[in-house]
Amino acid sequence: MTNVKSDRKNVVKKSVVVVIDYGMGNLHSVAKALEHVADEHTEVVVTSDPQIIDSADRVLLPGVGAIRDCIGEMHRTGLVPSIRKAMEEKPFLAICVGIQSLMSHSEENDGVACLDHFKGNALFFGSQHKDHDGSKLKVPHMGWNQVKQTIKHPLWENIPDQARFYFVHSFYVVPENKDEIAGTCDYGLEFCVALARDNVFAVQFHPEKSHKDGLQLYKNFLNWDGKPSL
C-alpha cells in the first residue's frame, strides 16, 4: 500500500476580495482592474451572496446611477446587513455612488435616506453651478480633475498629491465631521471626494478609469490591513 502525504506547508490560503453585486455598478471593469493589480494569492469575486461577502477578507462597494435605485436595490436584495457588517469588521472601499450611499441622506429625488455610516448629506451641484470666475460649469462634473490629499492614509501610498482621477457625478458629499475628509477636489467649489474612518475608505471618483494612480489605489486597498495610519 502506498502512503501519500499531502504537503500542506506550501498551500497558501488565498485572500478574497469581494465586489458586491446588488445590480448597480460597473462590476466588470472594477473586477478587471482589481485582478490586474492582484497577486497570485488574491482572488477577486463578484457576488450577491451574503455568506461569501461575510467571509471575504476585503469588500468593495461600487455604484452608478441614481442613489434611490442603489439604496433600493441594496435593501431589495437583502445585502444591507452584510454591507454594514463588512464596514464594521474588514477593509472596506466604496467608489462613486458608493460613497454617497454611505452618507445619512441625499437630496436626490426629493430626498433619500442612505446607510448613515458617515453623518452628512449628498448635495446637488445645481443646474446653474458656476466656476469661481462666474462662468457656468457643466453638471454632471465629468472628466479628469486633481485630488488634494488632506490626510495621510495607506490608500494614498505611492499616489502623488494633486494626482488626477476620473469623475462622473452630479452630487457631492458633505460630511458633518470634517476630520473624516481624506481628499478634496475643486469644481467651482472645494468639495469632499474621499472619506476615511477606521477600516472604511470611500471615494467619489472611478479608480478603474483613472489609469496608473487609480490602479495604485486598488493595489493599496488589496494590501491594506484596515488600519487608518501608515
Side-chain angles (χ1 to χ4, degrees):
M1 181 177 180
T2 304
N3 291 323
V4 179
K5 295 182 179 179
S6 61
D7 186 358
R8 297 183 181 276
K9 291 188 293 183
N10 295 325
V11 176
V12 178
K13 181 180 179 294
K14 284 198 172 187
S15 173
V16 176
V17 55
V18 155
V19 179
I20 297 179
D21 179 7
Y22 58 97
M24 304 286 293
N26 47 336
L27 306 178
H28 178 74
S29 57
V30 171
K32 286 297 183 184
L34 288 168
E35 289 170 355
H36 182 75
V37 297
D39 62 24
E40 68 273 19
H41 304 306
T42 301
E43 181 180 5
V44 179
V45 178
V46 178
T47 186
S48 58
D49 187 330
Q51 290 186 328
I52 297 175
I53 297 169
D54 292 347
S55 64
D57 298 289
R58 289 173 179 77
V59 171
L60 188 149
L61 179 69
V64 296
I67 188 67
R68 182 183 296 278
D69 294 338
C70 287
I71 295 294
E73 285 301 298
M74 289 179 199
H75 285 288
R76 187 190 67 78
T77 54
L79 291 176
V80 170
S82 289
I83 293 170
R84 294 193 187 281
K85 188 171 186 286
M87 288 192 289
E88 293 299 324
E89 297 180 353
K90 59 195 70 179
F92 187 99
L93 174 63
I95 62 172
C96 194
V97 177
I99 189 176
Q100 297 177 27
S101 73
L102 301 192
M103 306 308 293
S104 305
H105 179 268
S106 172
E107 66 178 15
E108 186 177 356
N109 302 120
D110 298 321
V112 178
C114 300
L115 297 181
D116 198 34
H117 186 79
F118 292 102
K119 298 295 182 183
N121 299 308
L123 304 181
F124 183 43
F125 279 117
S127 58
Q128 299 300 315
H129 186 55
K130 295 181 179 179
D131 207 345
H132 301 286
D133 62 4
S135 59
K136 188 175 179 180
L137 290 170
K138 291 182 178 180
V139 177
H141 171 216
M142 182 181 297
W144 296 88
N145 210 332
Q146 291 178 299
V147 171
K148 176 184 176 183
Q149 300 172 18
T150 56
I151 64 169
K152 291 191 69 174
H153 193 279
L155 266 70
W156 291 139
E157 191 171 10
N158 296 320
I159 299 174
D161 191 22
Q162 301 293 346
R164 299 175 73 84
F165 291 89
Y166 191 82
F167 291 84
V168 183
H169 64 118
S170 299
F171 292 78
Y172 62 98
V173 300
V174 181
E176 291 181 6
N177 185 353
K178 304 307 179 188
D179 290 339
E180 293 175 338
I181 297 175
T184 62
C185 184
D186 192 290
Y187 191 66
L189 56 87
E190 187 175 10
F191 64 97
C192 172
V193 297
L195 286 168
R197 186 175 76 234
D198 300 329
N199 57 299
V200 176
F201 198 85
V203 298
Q204 181 63 67
F205 51 82
H206 287 273
E208 71 283 355
K209 296 181 180 179
S210 300
H211 297 330
K212 176 175 65 71
D213 292 315
L215 290 175
Q216 182 63 52
L217 189 140
Y218 278 154
K219 184 175 181 179
N220 292 342
F221 174 59
L222 295 182
N223 292 323
W224 186 34
D225 61 5
K227 296 178 181 178
S229 59
L230 291 167

